[in-house]
Amino acid sequence: MTETDPSPSPGDGGGLVRPLLDEGAYDARATAWLLRQKIAVPDRVAGYLDRSGLVERAMPTRRRLTVVVAPGGFGKTTLLGACCRRAREDGIPVAWVSVDEQDEPAVLDTYVACACRSAARGGPADVEDLGVSVLGQAGKETGARTALALREIEAHDGPFVLVFDELERLGSPDAVALLEFLLQRGPANLHLAFSGRDLPAGVNVASAVLDGQAEVLSAEDLRFTSAEVADFFDGRLSGRRLDAVMSESAGWAFALRLSRNELERGARDDTRASRKLVENWVESRLFAGLGTQDREFLLDIGLFEWMDAALLDEVLERGDSLRRIDTMPALAGLLEPVRDGARQVWRLHPLVREHCARRRFREAPLRFRAIHRRIAGALGRRGQTVDAVRHAVEAGEPGLAGDIVEDAGGVRLYHREGAVQFQAAHRLLTEDAVAARPRLALVRCLSSLLSGRMDEARARYHSLAGALGSLQVNASGAAFELAADHCMVRGMLLLYGSESLDSTLMRAHLADVARLAESPHADVLTRGILEYTLCLAGNWTGNIKEALGHAARARPCFAQSRYMSMFLDVQEGLAAMAQGRVEDAAALYRRAERVVTERYVLDPEPAAVCNALMHELSLECGRAAPEAEPNRVPEALRQGNTSFQAYAAASGAVLETKLRHEGADAALAAADEMLDYVRNARLPALVRYVSALRVSLLATAGPIGDAERAWKAADLPPDAAGCLDLAGQTWREMEALSSARLRLAIGRWRFEEARGFAGELRAAAAARGLKRTLMRLLALSAVLERRAGDGAAAAAHVEEYLFAYADSPYAGPLVRERAECAELLAACLETAPGSRARDAARALLAAMESADDPRHRLLSARERQVLERLAGRRDKQIAAELGLSVYGVRHHLRNVFAKLGVRNRAEAVRRAREMGLIHGGS
């Protein structure tokens, strides 16, 4: 019995070729047969190669969600099948669901429930177990059967794996919602795996990736390595032949299978035997029924990676492409729809496309190149640069590829499209094309920088000195475009290289940026990037008003660049954070984070930057981070292309978390690890910053002599002026150095010196509007006066802190000094003038108590907020109050349930009250 010929019983009415949801159209035997096909873990394929390392990496039990996304023929199903067989060998239940286009929600619900029950019970489960005889039979709301199975999974003592294969076929939004339900609300022991050529819209994989609960494996991960190819061929390939196979296949599993078939058939030196398999199928199944004109049309569209009606008409110089496709029934099933907003976009099946391309090139090479050239031009005009460059390369015109990259902005392609698209376009440029054009050489330089190869980027830049000459700020035309690219690459090298802000090179660079921004030859995006650079420089030095002015001028220039709009949100958020505008900072960070999750999830740096800044803000407000607290600086910020602001925020948050939860020794060990990185990466500003943080740790936790020796060993400024300098260093360096210097003076009981320096720091912070720095100073000043025995002065500083807190709820600085300031704060409840100050005192005392209570370390701040609203509110209400999505609330609920060891909302509330996490009125 086969799927296309199920040998139905009499009266079956034609078998399973009818729509699945046509109730009563087939009997229970046919239904059961189909069900078994859909939920069976695939058997091991003939000639299977055990890729144990890849299987181990892809094992669903290693994380909440494993995603395998790659084109056809890359072995997605084979890989997950191997994972499932290994899991079963370890006694782990595994459920498998193969998806297709006809899977409406009720049908998918049935498949999931049967697969899960079959796995949980260690034997087959048929639809009769669920009380229905037809797939998707109505009677309960969609998801009800799955919910029953999930309860069995939750009761299972150990991990449970559920795999969905061929998810690109899933089209129903309600069916997609079922997947999202499993991801967000499934039991803590449920491990999901998604596989397909693409993922359906609506499944929030990005959040799981950012939370560290998911890993995405792409075609690049599935490609066979040279060693694996050698094993796949049982060691029968010579070194030369192995190189050839690797070049021909690029590690693609399907191509390797064909190559091995050649070898087993005795084919030599080429891939003709394998191609004949493909050619035979295409010629006999597809071309045989086509007339000459249709065949020519198909050979042309086989050169498109993807197509829409307008693109086809423009390139092929006709007006009926869509109608022509509709009149070719032989293409049914071979044109795959691709989601692209409201447009209808298709791609031809890869095997058919490759055959058509080979035949077109063989029969009409000039037309082959001409079509690719036209596609490249059309896509370039649309702004789809990477695809355009790829077609230019296919046309055999590397010069055209270079033209397209330059027309797209050169290095400004990075600013418009982001790092992933920029790097993809760069990889297609040939050395010859780059060598002949300074702008493309700058593109290569920037690519090295973004890849974390700072030394290589610097060397490339210096090698261009002769070709670039001096930067011509008054140029026009092509010379202006070169000057703009030159300025931007130079600026990024200075930025990521932590160049001193008062160096001759940096001052000259910023002057050039300002002049270029005023040039009448600058287009909108270029002017926006230049204004953004000046905004960033203002933020660095604490010139917040100036920075915000540049940000306001940059904002309208980024209407067509979500990437730069996102980073501008980050810069405005940093300015708000420095000024103490907490709600503004949080809103800007969240907006940037949403753009990351929607559009740039494959680019690790923006996600790491947003997470680092959100963690820093949460800790400064005296509460736990909204998600898992940072244990180390994210890998994406330790790649040699580190943004100072992001690394500074991340490192400060990590050290504070370590100090609070693991003690001074763990924090000092983390600081030493950070110093090793920033020194090896030759990032002098970060070396100063982290060294100052380390001195503060030593002054707080150990003998003051150790802190003083660390100051001298790090060659930190010998006098107050060096600490307060905002011309040659960032405001973060100034703040860290000044705090450390104050702690040293207080620790040595040099109180007059400390008071004088505190006065200078207050003046510097007030002049720049640095509210965060001022509040840190007030907390340290209270410690200073208490140590000096002046209780009235200490109380005055705490009282001033309360008034500052009422507008800028930074609890962190005073919470850090709670051992010295708690009594002073408690006294303020009686003496503080005005209800606002007393309310602030109560909030700060509560924050101090929470910091010392180990129970409050169990849940993150966001988890506590959700928990406090759990009784009497629905998920939608909680989401609206906290500014989250419903799925976000459910994500936090799942974490709460797991951490409290409960199974439902009522148990969570009851357990939280028993533990004192919430009070009776919550």
Side-chain angles (χ1 to χ4, degrees):
M1 186 181 290
T2 65
E3 189 166 348
T4 54
D5 182 17
S7 300
S9 60
D12 199 28
L16 298 182
V17 294
R18 293 196 174 187
L20 286 174
L21 296 182
D22 183 9
E23 294 187 16
Y26 43 82
D27 60 19
R29 284 191 300 112
T31 298
W33 175 87
L34 176 60
L35 178 63
R36 286 193 293 273
Q37 312 310 308
K38 301 286 287 188
I39 67 173
V41 174
D43 293 331
R44 179 174 294 177
V45 298
Y48 170 76
L49 175 70
D50 182 15
R51 305 173 74 189
S52 56
L54 182 60
V55 170
E56 177 62 28
R57 180 182 171 192
M59 278 299 290
T61 51
R62 296 188 62 182
R63 57 194 71 85
R64 175 68 171 175
L65 173 64
T66 301
V67 181
V68 185
V69 181
F74 271 90
K76 303 179 292 296
T77 301
T78 300
L79 172 62
L80 287 180
C83 292
C84 291
R85 289 190 294 273
R86 180 177 296 184
R88 284 181 170 174
E89 290 170 2
D90 294 337
I92 298 171
V94 173
W96 182 285
V97 177
S98 295
V99 174
D100 66 39
E101 292 86 346
Q102 294 172 314
D103 288 347
E104 293 298 322
V107 175
L108 187 62
D109 182 29
T110 303
Y111 291 153
V112 172
C114 285
C116 290
R117 287 192 169 186
S118 176
R121 298 175 182 182
D126 288 329
V127 288
E128 288 82 357
D129 296 335
L130 303 174
V132 295
S133 60
V134 177
L135 293 181
Q137 189 175 42
K140 293 184 179 181
E141 64 179 79
T142 297
R145 303 183 188 97
T146 296
L148 292 173
L150 290 181
R151 280 197 279 274
E152 292 189 29
I153 294 173
E154 190 173 27
H156 173 71
D157 184 19
F160 190 104
V161 173
L162 174 56
V163 179
F164 290 91
D165 192 28
E166 299 186 282
L167 273 185
E168 75 277 359
R169 297 181 174 188
L170 198 62
S172 166
D174 289 335
V176 172
L178 182 60
L179 298 187
E180 182 69 10
F181 170 83
L182 291 170
L183 178 58
Q184 301 294 343
R185 295 293 299 274
N189 63 332
L190 177 61
H191 300 270
L192 295 165
F194 295 165
S195 170
R197 296 185 181 186
D198 196 2
L199 293 181
V203 180
N204 190 8
V205 171
S207 292
V209 172
L210 293 176
D211 291 342
Q213 297 184 351
E215 182 168 359
V216 179
L217 280 72
S218 67
E220 294 304 312
D221 301 301
L222 270 59
R223 292 186 193 279
F224 278 57
T225 65
S226 181
E228 287 173 330
V229 172
D231 290 342
F232 184 66
F233 283 84
D234 301 320
R236 291 179 289 173
L237 297 182
S238 65
R240 180 178 178 183
R241 181 59 182 147
L242 176 60
D243 291 342
V245 170
M246 283 299 298
S247 176
E248 293 164 0
S249 69
W252 184 28
F254 178 78
L256 291 171
R257 176 75 262 184
L258 294 180
S259 294
R260 197 168 88 163
N261 288 348
E262 296 171 11
L263 186 65
E264 291 172 351
R265 292 189 182 95
R268 304 174 185 173
D269 295 337
D270 60 33
T271 59
R272 283 180 294 173
S274 296
R275 287 179 178 175
K276 282 194 174 297
L277 293 175
V278 177
E279 288 174 2
N280 178 266
W281 184 90
V282 174
E283 296 291 341
S284 62
R285 301 283 189 92
L286 181 58
F287 280 6
L290 298 179
T292 301
Q293 290 186 345
D294 284 345
R295 188 180 298 113
E296 287 296 305
F297 179 72
L298 180 55
L299 290 174
D300 281 344
I301 69 173
L303 302 183
F304 291 75
E305 290 187 59
W306 58 266
M307 65 199 84
D308 60 33
L311 180 63
L312 285 171
D313 287 345
E314 178 181 356
V315 171
L316 301 181
E317 299 175 332
R318 57 190 307 148
D320 63 345
S321 299
L322 184 57
R323 289 194 299 275
R324 189 65 174 271
I325 289 174
D326 289 339
T327 61
M328 296 173 65
L331 289 179
L334 295 178
L335 278 175
E336 302 174 323
V338 180
R339 295 182 181 86
D340 188 20
R343 289 189 304 156
Q344 285 186 298
V345 180
W346 307 272
R347 62 185 175 196
L348 198 58
H349 190 284
L351 292 179
V352 179
R353 179 178 178 273
E354 290 162 13
H355 173 76
C356 291
R358 284 195 299 269
R359 181 165 171 176
R360 173 57 80 204
F361 181 76
R362 183 175 64 247
E363 295 179 355
L366 293 179
R367 183 163 181 80
F368 173 91
R369 295 189 179 96
I371 294 294
H372 274 301
R373 188 185 309 114
R374 289 186 210 160
I375 297 173
L379 293 178
R381 288 187 290 274
R382 288 185 175 197
Q384 293 168 288
T385 307
V386 176
D387 289 342
V389 172
R390 192 175 290 116
H391 281 284
V393 171
E394 288 282 357
E397 297 194 21
L400 175 60
D403 290 341
I404 292 169
V405 171
E406 288 190 344
D407 290 345
V411 301
R412 282 159 283 173
L413 176 62
Y414 161 74
H415 299 89
R416 189 176 71 242
E417 299 291 342
V420 173
Q421 292 295 306
F422 172 82
Q423 294 284 41
H426 162 262
R427 283 192 291 269
L428 294 168
L429 298 176
T430 66
E431 286 295 337
D432 289 342
V434 170
R437 306 189 190 194
R439 289 187 68 196
L440 296 184
L442 287 167
V443 166
R444 185 139 294 177
C445 177
L446 179 56
S447 173
S448 298
L449 173 62
L450 296 175
S451 300
R453 301 189 299 273
M454 175 63 81
D455 289 342
E456 178 184 307
R458 287 169 172 151
R460 285 186 182 278
Y461 177 77
H462 291 307
S463 71
L464 292 172
L468 294 173
S470 60
L471 200 150
Q472 302 297 316
V473 295
N474 296 317
S476 61
F480 176 85
E481 298 301 322
L482 176 60
D485 282 358
H486 180 185
C487 183
M488 289 168 193
V489 171
R490 184 180 68 183
M492 293 185 74
L493 286 168
L494 295 174
L495 165 66
Y496 288 120
S498 295
E499 181 72 20
S500 173
L501 295 175
D502 67 344
S503 71
T504 302
L505 188 57
M506 182 62 89
R507 287 199 302 270
H509 171 70
L510 293 176
D512 286 343
V513 169
R515 287 195 291 271
L516 284 172
E518 297 299 323
S519 171
H521 306 293
D523 61 31
V524 171
L525 177 63
T526 300
R527 183 170 291 107
I529 297 167
L530 295 167
E531 291 287 356
Y532 171 85
T533 302
L534 296 171
C535 165
L536 191 151
N539 260 344
W540 269 36
T541 56
N543 288 305
I544 306 300
K545 184 176 180 180
E546 177 183 308
L548 291 175
H550 290 296
R553 288 190 286 276
R555 178 69 67 184
C557 299
F558 293 151
Q560 303 302 316
S561 175
R562 295 288 298 279
Y563 199 68
M564 289 307 299
S565 291
M566 170 191 67
F567 277 116
L568 191 60
D569 284 340
V570 167
Q571 289 302 317
E572 290 185 334
L574 283 165
M577 180 273 298
Q579 292 181 321
R581 294 184 288 111
V582 174
E583 292 303 319
D584 290 346
L588 287 160
Y589 291 161
R590 282 196 296 267
R591 188 165 73 181
E593 194 173 43
R594 282 196 298 271
V595 175
V596 172
T597 57
E598 290 170 4
R599 296 178 65 102
Y600 303 109
V601 69
L602 296 179
D603 188 349
E605 186 191 2
V609 169
C610 290
N611 285 341
L613 297 179
M614 288 294 287
H615 285 149
E616 177 190 47
L617 186 64
S618 294
L619 290 170
E620 199 65 23
C621 291
R623 54 181 184 255
E627 300 297 339
E629 291 189 325
N631 193 47
R632 64 180 307 182
V633 176
E635 182 69 24
L637 300 181
R638 294 183 284 116
Q639 297 294 327
N641 57 336
T642 304
S643 158
F644 174 87
Q645 291 266 33
Y647 191 93
S651 57
V654 167
L655 294 182
E656 179 160 346
T657 300
K658 289 276 188 182
L659 180 64
R660 180 183 299 182
H661 297 323
E662 300 178 41
D665 288 344
L668 287 167
D672 289 339
E673 180 183 336
M674 295 171 189
L675 277 173
D676 286 341
Y677 163 69
V678 294
R679 282 171 178 155
N680 290 334
R682 295 191 293 163
L683 303 172
L686 283 171
V687 171
R688 289 191 299 274
Y689 177 78
V690 177
S691 295
L693 296 182
R694 185 173 183 273
V695 170
S696 284
L697 285 172
L698 287 168
T700 301
I704 197 66
D706 290 348
E708 290 173 329
R709 284 188 288 275
W711 183 282
K712 292 179 181 177
D715 196 26
L716 297 180
D719 54 23
C723 294
L724 297 171
D725 171 36
L726 275 175
Q729 64 184 0
T730 67
W731 72 265
R732 285 182 183 269
E733 291 172 85
M734 182 271 288
E735 182 185 80
L737 287 166
S738 298
S739 296
R741 186 179 183 88
L742 265 178
R743 291 186 188 278
L744 290 177
I746 294 169
R748 281 299 185 191
W749 296 65
R750 299 195 299 268
F751 299 129
E752 285 305 318
E753 175 189 329
R755 288 184 181 112
F757 181 70
E760 293 181 71
L761 178 57
R762 175 191 285 264
R768 300 293 175 98
L770 300 174
K771 188 76 168 286
R772 188 183 94 158
T773 303
L774 179 61
M775 294 181 74
R776 290 187 173 195
L777 171 62
L778 288 172
L780 280 174
S781 296
V783 173
L784 160 64
E785 298 301 347
R786 191 173 187 275
R787 296 269 184 94
D790 191 341
H797 287 306
V798 171
E799 187 174 305
E800 186 178 355
Y801 192 102
L802 294 179
F803 284 105
Y805 178 86
D807 294 320
S808 301
Y810 282 151
L814 208 62
V815 169
R816 292 182 198 110
E817 314 303 333
R818 59 191 178 277
E820 304 269 4
C821 297
E823 290 183 10
L824 294 168
L825 191 58
C828 285
L829 281 174
E830 303 298 328
T831 62
S835 59
R836 290 187 72 196
R838 287 192 291 274
D839 288 344
R842 291 189 189 95
L844 287 164
L845 283 169
M848 289 180 177
E849 292 172 5
S850 178
D852 289 327
D853 188 343
R855 293 174 302 177
H856 291 277
R857 300 175 192 170
L858 179 63
L859 303 178
S860 73
R862 185 66 84 189
E863 288 163 358
R864 288 199 300 274
Q865 290 173 341
V866 171
L867 179 60
E868 288 165 357
R869 291 163 173 80
L870 202 54
R873 291 180 177 87
R874 295 182 179 274
D875 292 348
K876 287 184 179 180
Q877 293 173 289
I878 298 173
E881 290 180 18
L882 297 180
L884 298 172
S885 69
V886 172
Y887 296 123
V889 170
R890 292 170 183 170
H891 163 74
H892 294 300
L893 271 180
R894 188 174 66 245
N895 290 343
V896 169
F897 291 173
K899 290 179 180 181
L900 299 184
V902 299
R903 300 176 59 177
N904 56 49
R905 302 163 79 97
E907 288 181 13
V909 172
R910 183 167 57 251
R911 179 68 176 143
R913 285 173 177 161
E914 291 171 357
M915 297 174 66
L917 295 174
I918 58 176
H919 56 75
S922 291

